[in-house]
Structure formats: structure tokens, C-alpha cells
Amino acid sequence: MRINLEPIGIIKKAGKYSEILIYSEFEQIIKNLVSMVGKGSVGGQELLVVHKNYTSSDGHQVEVTKTEVVERDGNVLKVGKMNANDDSVIDIRLSITDGLSGDL
């Protein structure tokens, strides 16, 4: 089965951090993240980033990377260093593993 997914952004390396630029037509995703966190800062939150890794030998695979948000500036998320550069972002979600027990 082959599924084509439209990217919502791109990952760029920025020194000791990575930056996730969310395309303007998908800014609602950032607004949803901020509303989930509440009035506090998005910084310090852990994210799961689903991205297409173009360095992989299999061009049909995606990676899921867990990283921490350092800061947000509009539709740009500065996150901890990721092993990705120029990768297309498919989805981002808040990581909720802190609240789960090991009984699953």
C-alpha cells in the first residue's frame, strides 16, 4: 500500500538546536499545541515529531523523534537537537508518556 502525505513543515539544524518551521497554512497545529499546554510557555514540553528522513536508504519510511521544545517564535519551534536536516515534518504531537503507568 502506498500513502502520500502532505508535509506540514520542515526541520532545519540551527547550531546546537533544531528548528521546526510549520508552514503558514498549518499554523492551526501550533495554536492547538499552545491551547493544550494552557497559558504557560510551550518551552520544556516534550514533542513527538513524525518526519520523513531523506538520508534513509528506504524512501518509504518515516521516523518518530521525541524532543523537547526550547522556545516558540510564531510558527517556528526551537527544539533540542534532532538527527534530521531538511526533513519534511508529517505531524507533531505532545508527548504524554509522563502520565502513563507501566501497566499498559
Side-chain angles (χ1 to χ4, degrees), residues 19-36:
E19 291 183 341
I20 300 173
L21 168 67
I22 301 298
Y23 301 139
S24 59
E25 59 264 28
F26 298 102
E27 282 182 5
Q28 188 61 42
I29 292 170
I30 297 286
K31 291 176 184 174
N32 291 346
L33 283 176
V34 171
S35 71
M36 289 173 148

Side-chain angles (χ1 to χ4, degrees), residues 47-94:
L47 289 181
L48 294 175
V49 182
V50 180
H51 56 98
K52 173 99 167 110
N53 188 339
Y54 290 108
T55 60
S56 172
S57 60
D58 185 358
H60 302 291
Q61 298 294 317
V62 296
E63 281 189 35
V64 178
T65 303
K66 186 175 187 178
T67 188
E68 185 175 322
V69 179
V70 176
E71 68 180 5
R72 173 186 162 248
D73 185 16
N75 61 338
V76 176
L77 296 172
K78 184 185 253 186
V79 298
K81 191 160 189 148
M82 295 175 61
N83 187 21
N85 189 36
D86 290 331
D87 286 9
S88 296
V89 177
I90 309 286
D91 196 14
I92 55 175
R93 301 282 177 183
L94 285 175

